[in-house]
Amino acid sequence: MYRYEKVNLNLKSVIYRAGVQYGGLPEWDFIWKKYLNAIVPSEKHKLLIALCRTQDTNHLARLLEEAAKGENIRHQDLTTVVSVVSINTNGQILAWRFVQQNWKKFVKWFGSSSFILPNLVKSTTSSFSTEFDYEEVSAFFNSHDSASVNMSVASSLENIRMNIDWLENNEDIVTTWLNNPKNILHVPDSR
């Protein structure tokens, strides 16, 4: 179906990401197969990042589950998958729910001395900006084994609070500015 030609090394990551982000199932499957067959670690990493850029939440969920299994995606790459899925607007909540559902498993796997758990906390909560988010994160970590990530949780809660405050102070101003047609950039006619 696809004709594979050599791609400029400097453009591979961009092409992979764009193909998955703006493509559909065939593009995702193509990159997934390339990932499974890749031998060079840097190539595998580029392909993994690209897979996380899909707009399809089913594929994002599949990728998260694959990372949790540790078969096709190594456990040490779990934070990469969760972090990149978290910055995908279609994956933000999905990644947080995934971490919540698998927290006990992650604590068991990675232990309290690992940097992986604090990274999971930070990456999945950094974009939260509502009181609901704040309360949910706080309640979750208060009711789970989280001693190893107390500092990360405190930092994340502080970040969520700052996001809430920023929105309260600036959302109306920014919305008004964006809704004003005079503020839209006009591109001069090139004729």
Side-chain angles (χ1 to χ4, degrees), residues 101-116:
Q101 292 165 357
N102 292 284
W103 184 253
K104 289 178 183 175
K105 192 185 312 181
F106 298 156
V107 169
K108 182 180 170 187
W109 288 345
F110 303 120
S112 60
S113 63
S114 172
F115 66 91
I116 292 176

